[in-house]
Amino acid sequence: MKTDHLLIMRFSGLGDVAMTVPVVWSLARRYPHLRITVLSSPFARVFFDRIAPNVGFMEADLKNEYRGVKGLNALYRRLTAKQFTAIADLHNVLRSGYLRMRFNIDRYRVEHIDKHRRERRQLVATTGKQMVQLPLVFELYADVLARLGYPIDLDFTSMFPPAGGNIRLISALVGEKKPFQQWIGVAPFAAYQGKAYPLELMERVIDELSRRHPSCRIFFFGNNSDKERRALDALAEGRKNCINASAALGSIYNELILMSHLDVMLSMDSANMHLASIAGTPVVSIWGATHPLAGYMGWHQRPDDVVQTDMPCRPCSISGNRPCLRGDYACLTSIQPVSVADRVDRVLVR
């Protein structure tokens, strides 16, 4: 009897793909005899290589090797050779839609995510704004699988065992955690200005946390671009308890290991919020132009740990890429550093 083989397609950014991890993990354990292949960008391999014996990863660089219609046709031929029995499109954009069309023509079982675009437009409207909680993205992913005949319970906790990732793999780079220490992660950047707390205010948060917790260690996370690396190095310079962790660790997997041993991560609505979430770490997240109502909260993160300012213009964007209508990004600049430090403290004393 032929074994079912499910293809899951999800491209886009680091955080978007990280959000599939709880869903794929739950699926793999609910259906241990189901073959699962995740199709994504090369960077995403780190999420799936160790997730479960019945999960495989297939990389596809849509910007280079498989660019354009010709490239997508070549990718489709490569995919059909894998003899999939069902296709789950968790992205639902032009390129995945083209592949989906090809699969449909050849009579594969195909389902795709409903992004609730109408409700999203109402959430970010300048007039007649509808402040309604939209389904979490994890639920939307799970719904696609259910329509293919694979209902699941989302029972994921972490990529790692309860004790966290193997700290010995990175202890030479970051040192050992002392019993009396709090380890705090800080990820101050985001893809767009509308999602990034001003760096000068974040410096005050860092200094306040260091004052309150003299024995703490603070680890900075960024994407290792020249701009972010220089900024994080500058933050760490002169602060003996701070380190640019992303530069020191050198890989996403090592960063995930460290995140699994943090007491708390302070992040924007960004990829690092989702990385810390799938590492099983509580996150205090700062939100500006975007809003948790859109359904993009980190996995199992608590609404009480969200820092945001209520403003009539918020949210103005689902992804944060629109310029500020006011021109001053008051949704972020009005957040006081001491209130951010207070929220971090609430997590540390739980």
Side-chain angles (χ1 to χ4, degrees), residues 220-294:
F220 299 134
F221 295 87
N223 65 14
N224 264 334
S225 66
D226 288 341
K227 179 180 178 181
E228 291 194 9
R229 188 184 302 112
R230 288 194 299 269
L232 295 183
D233 285 343
L235 280 177
E237 187 176 0
R239 294 180 171 93
K240 63 180 181 179
N241 63 328
C242 297
I243 178 175
N244 181 349
S246 292
L249 293 172
S251 76
I252 294 173
Y253 187 69
N254 284 346
E255 290 184 36
L256 286 164
I257 292 175
L258 177 57
M259 288 180 188
S260 73
H261 291 274
L262 298 176
D263 296 289
V264 62
M265 169 71 87
L266 173 59
S267 173
M268 309 299 105
D269 166 25
S270 67
N272 281 298
M273 173 180 67
H274 296 295
L275 296 183
S277 298
I278 63 174
T281 298
V283 179
V284 171
S285 53
I286 300 176
W287 298 65
T290 58
H291 201 288
L293 289 177

Side-chain angles (χ1 to χ4, degrees), residues 197-198 201 308-311 328-337 339:
Y197 192 52
L201 297 180
Q308 59 185 335
T309 299
D310 289 332
M311 299 182 66
D328 58 0
Y329 292 96
C331 57
L332 290 162
T333 59
S334 63
I335 297 173
Q336 295 301 308
S339 68

Side-chain angles (χ1 to χ4, degrees), residues 66-334:
Y66 298 109
R67 182 179 180 182
V69 173
K70 182 179 179 181
L72 289 174
N73 286 333
L75 176 57
Y76 180 73
R77 291 191 294 270
R78 181 183 167 203
L79 292 171
T80 54
K82 302 291 183 180
Q83 298 184 319
F84 295 109
T85 55
I87 315 298
D89 177 5
L90 304 187
H91 200 174
N92 191 13
V93 293
L94 189 61
R95 286 175 290 192
S96 68
Y98 180 82
L99 293 172
R100 198 170 71 236
M101 177 196 69
R102 294 292 309 269
F103 281 118
N104 273 315
I105 290 173
D106 289 338
R107 299 183 180 278
Y108 286 80
R109 285 192 296 149
V110 182
E111 294 289 349
H112 65 276
I113 187 173
D114 176 1
K115 291 187 172 181
H116 293 258
R117 287 189 170 96
R118 179 173 178 272
E119 292 85 351
R120 289 182 179 184
R121 287 194 295 269
Q122 291 173 334
L123 182 63
V124 300
T126 54
T127 58
K129 188 182 292 292
Q130 300 292 316
M131 298 294 286
V132 177
Q133 177 66 60
L134 302 186
L136 296 176
V137 172
F138 311 103
E139 298 168 355
L140 299 179
Y141 290 163
D143 179 63
V144 176
L145 301 177
R147 284 186 270 121
L148 284 170
Y150 303 109
I152 58 174
D153 295 320
L154 292 169
D155 51 4
F156 173 84
T157 301
S158 171
M159 288 180 63
F160 300 107
N166 186 356
I167 194 70
R168 288 176 296 178
L169 295 176
I170 61 171
S171 58
L173 302 172
V174 299
E176 299 284 349
K177 187 175 185 179
K178 305 296 191 297
F180 57 84
Q181 282 182 331
Q182 298 92 2
W183 277 18
I184 301 170
V186 176
F189 301 114
Y192 303 108
Q193 185 178 355
K195 298 204 296 185
Y197 192 52
L199 204 57
E200 61 272 18
L201 297 180
M202 184 60 80
E203 284 194 72
R204 291 164 57 186
V205 175
I206 293 164
D207 290 338
E208 179 65 16
L209 290 172
S210 298
R211 185 189 67 79
R212 296 183 187 186
H213 306 282
S215 63
C216 79
R217 296 193 66 198
I218 298 178
F219 299 91
F220 299 134
F221 295 87
N223 65 14
N224 264 334
S225 66
D226 288 341
K227 179 180 178 181
E228 291 194 9
R229 188 184 302 112
R230 288 194 299 269
L232 295 183
D233 285 343
L235 280 177
E237 187 176 0
R239 294 180 171 93
K240 63 180 181 179
N241 63 328
C242 297
I243 178 175
N244 181 349
S246 292
L249 293 172
S251 76
I252 294 173
Y253 187 69
N254 284 346
E255 290 184 36
L256 286 164
I257 292 175
L258 177 57
M259 288 180 188
S260 73
H261 291 274
L262 298 176
D263 296 289
V264 62
M265 169 71 87
L266 173 59
S267 173
M268 309 299 105
D269 166 25
S270 67
N272 281 298
M273 173 180 67
H274 296 295
L275 296 183
S277 298
I278 63 174
T281 298
V283 179
V284 171
S285 53
I286 300 176
W287 298 65
T290 58
H291 201 288
L293 289 177
Y296 285 94
M297 275 276 285
W299 175 253
H300 273 187
Q301 295 303 331
R302 298 168 52 143
D304 287 349
D305 295 336
V306 169
V307 181
Q308 59 185 335
T309 299
D310 289 332
M311 299 182 66
C313 55
R314 280 193 70 234
C316 63
S317 175
I318 294 297
S319 60
N321 57 338
R322 294 182 180 178
C324 176
L325 295 173
R326 294 168 47 111
D328 58 0
Y329 292 96
C331 57
L332 290 162
T333 59
S334 63

